[in-house]
Amino acid sequence: MKKFISAKLAGNILLAALGVLFIFHILVVLGLIPADIVWGGQVKDAQANLVLLETIALLVTLLFIFIVAVKTGYTQGGHKLRFFKGGKAQFV
């Protein structure tokens, strides 16, 4: 099978997209982007509920950024845990 892009380039593209997503969620929390365009427009009244949901979204996004950074070799944080080696996470 022919490779169109390298794994390193794919990781860089993912990190850039996740970085933009992270900034987007920060802007929603700060109120610079209206909250009615996120979460299906369901969070309108409760600011505390919006902050909770956005905090969860930020944490999940950071987790994905960490995983992609480890897989592309930008961090050494995953040297004890090999992510998705053989279809599952394995401790080494």
Side-chain angles (χ1 to χ4, degrees), residues 62-74:
L62 281 176
L63 174 68
F64 288 150
I65 287 172
F66 176 73
I67 290 172
V68 173
V70 168
K71 291 298 285 182
T72 54
Y74 286 116

Side-chain angles (χ1 to χ4, degrees), residues 3-14:
K3 291 183 180 181
F4 293 108
I5 61 173
S6 67
K8 185 80 166 180
L9 178 60
N12 289 337
I13 292 169
L14 271 173

